[in-house]
Amino acid sequence: MKAATREERSLDAARNNEHEKRGRKASKEVRQLQLIEATIDSLAKRGYAETTMADVADGAGLSRGIVNFHFESKEKLLVATLQHMYDEYSAHWRNALQKAGDDPARQLHALVAADFDRSICNKRKLAAWCAFWGEAKSRPTYQALSSARDAVYQNIYIDLCATLKRSGGYAFEPQVMALALSAMLEGLWLRLMMGTEDTTRETALQAANEFLAAAFPKHFGPTTVSGSGTT
């Protein structure tokens, strides 16, 4: 009986230990996300150069020692923030692509519409993206991270453009059309970030849909793209 009791206590202790480990891990992840969100806020408010570890700590309502404990340096914090933003963006467009089904035209339309969803397309996050874009050329770490993610995303656009070209008999080069589409979307994001008076998420999506209708007239007409809204 005593042996059984010792065994039960040993099992209980092991379970408690595991729960504590999970709790610490969850707490660590929550804390890091809190700091990353505060970093995005600071990038949007102050820009890249003016963002400091102290700003992030104050924005998160945490001590500066906590920031240093989790990320050690401003560079590591910013890399983690960029990684988080790419992960969020990737999960968002992949989810939109999956929901669109197997039809390539619906897939392309879903990808374009996803870029103007409120959860992704808002002034705060657009400003943070622009802050990183301004630094990417001089920072190999950012370049490597961006290039790998952008290549996957761009190749999907190229494949969809190639598929639509075959079914519609269009004369364009898929790679060039995909580049034009990406540049148009990035330009609309830039206008939204700058706060251009005639550009809202709704008008930006409308402009993107007009581009699809002009570039792929056999797949996207007024009835196809009209009524598409942002969430």
Side-chain angles (χ1 to χ4, degrees):
M1 183 70 175
K2 289 182 180 179
T5 301
R6 284 198 298 270
E7 184 178 347
E8 288 172 358
R9 288 176 179 173
S10 179
L11 287 172
D12 287 340
R15 290 192 192 99
N16 289 336
N17 221 8
E18 185 62 27
H19 287 321
E20 287 178 7
K21 287 181 180 178
R22 290 178 182 175
R24 286 196 298 270
K25 183 178 180 182
S27 178
K28 179 180 178 181
E29 291 172 351
V30 168
R31 190 71 77 205
Q32 288 179 343
L33 180 58
Q34 190 177 356
L35 293 169
I36 284 171
E37 291 293 340
T39 303
I40 294 173
D41 288 337
S42 184
L43 288 170
K45 182 179 179 180
R46 301 177 180 86
Y48 187 96
E50 298 301 319
T51 289
T52 67
M53 298 281 272
D55 293 327
V56 173
D58 293 343
L62 300 170
S63 71
R64 298 176 189 183
I66 291 292
V67 186
N68 289 322
F69 173 77
H70 285 288
F71 294 106
E72 298 179 4
S73 68
K74 175 181 173 179
E75 182 63 19
K76 288 184 178 181
L77 173 60
L78 289 168
V79 169
T81 300
L82 181 59
Q83 177 77 55
H84 170 78
M85 292 179 69
Y86 266 115
D87 287 346
E88 179 185 53
Y89 183 73
S90 178
H92 181 71
W93 69 254
R94 288 179 187 278
N95 183 55
L97 189 65
Q98 183 179 20
K99 287 183 177 179
D102 297 328
D103 181 73
R106 289 181 63 86
Q107 290 178 337
L108 184 58
H109 183 249
L111 284 177
V112 168
D115 253 14
F116 301 99
D117 186 274
R118 188 185 300 276
S119 65
I120 294 296
C121 182
N122 55 65
K123 288 186 177 181
R124 171 177 171 267
K125 289 181 180 176
L126 292 180
W129 277 117
C130 286
F132 280 119
W133 290 341
E135 295 292 321
K137 186 175 181 180
S138 60
R139 298 183 183 274
T141 303
Y142 296 0
Q143 287 183 359
L145 181 58
S146 300
S147 296
R149 300 300 186 91
D150 291 346
V152 172
Y153 186 61
Q154 191 66 13
N155 283 336
I156 290 176
Y157 271 112
I158 293 172
D159 290 343
L160 288 174
C161 287
T163 301
L164 294 180
K165 175 183 178 178
R166 288 193 296 271
S167 64
Y170 303 123
F172 60 71
E173 289 296 325
Q175 190 167 356
V176 174
M177 179 57 73
L179 177 61
L181 179 55
S182 296
M184 181 268 301
L185 293 172
E186 290 168 3
L188 289 171
W189 265 29
L190 182 60
R191 290 179 70 88
L192 285 167
M193 190 276 293
M194 293 174 64
T196 307
E197 290 184 2
D198 62 344
T199 308
T200 63
R201 286 187 311 111
E202 290 74 22
T203 59
L205 178 57
Q206 183 180 359
N209 284 334
E210 291 292 345
F211 180 96
L212 291 179
F216 309 93
K218 296 179 182 178
H219 295 90
F220 300 101
T223 57
T224 307
V225 298
S226 65
S228 299
T230 53
T231 58

